[in-house]
């Protein structure tokens, strides 16, 4: 299995789910991943713009050019965040 196939499978599993897209200037966009292409162009629905941990703006749909994308990651659900905090307290 090639690297391209692994990356494509990763992103295909994220379609329809909440993601965080961080762009080169540090701004994050959170929303539902609708589509992506080989150039890492990304389309999000119900997107929010975050900077410095603060909500800046809410949008309907957002298109982010791939050359601006620093990373894309699944957004953790609140329950997952609570479980991680509990594990940290135990250690």
């Amino acid at each position: 299995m090639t690297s391209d196939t692994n990356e494509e499978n990763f992103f295909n599993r994220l379609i329809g789910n909440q993601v965080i897209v961080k762009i080169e200037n540090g701004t994050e966009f959170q929303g539902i991943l609708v589509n992506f292409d080989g150039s890492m162009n990304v389309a999000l629905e119900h997107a929010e713009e975050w900077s410095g941990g603060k909500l800046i703006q809410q949008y309907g749909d957002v298109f982010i050019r791939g050359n601006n994308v620093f990373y894309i990651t699944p957004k953790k659900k609140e329950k997952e965040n609570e479980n991680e905090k509990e594990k940290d307290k135990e250690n």
Side-chain angles (χ1 to χ4, degrees):
M1 191 177 267
T2 67
S3 171
D4 289 342
T5 304
N6 287 335
E7 292 168 7
E8 188 174 330
N9 288 337
F10 171 76
F11 287 111
N12 281 330
R13 286 193 311 266
L14 291 178
I15 290 178
N17 292 300
Q18 289 279 337
V19 296
I20 298 171
V21 179
K22 186 168 190 173
I23 62 174
E24 293 291 336
N25 71 3
T27 300
E28 292 182 349
F29 289 88
Q30 299 180 19
I32 299 170
L33 181 63
V34 177
N35 208 347
F36 69 95
D37 65 16
S39 298
M40 292 299 297
N41 295 315
V42 177
L44 301 176
E45 288 182 337
H46 307 289
E48 299 175 337
E49 179 181 355
W50 290 79
S51 184
K54 295 180 183 177
L55 178 62
I56 304 299
Q57 181 73 37
Q58 292 181 319
Y59 303 97
D61 298 332
V62 170
F63 179 80
I64 304 168
R65 286 189 57 186
N67 64 331
N68 292 314
V69 174
F70 185 63
Y71 67 72
I72 301 173
T73 186
K75 183 176 178 184
K76 294 181 180 179
K77 296 181 175 107
E78 291 302 316
K79 185 72 173 168
E80 291 175 6
N81 287 337
E82 290 173 14
N83 289 341
E84 285 182 6
K85 288 177 185 176
E86 289 299 319
K87 286 180 185 176
D88 288 343
K89 286 180 184 177
E90 293 172 3
N91 295 329

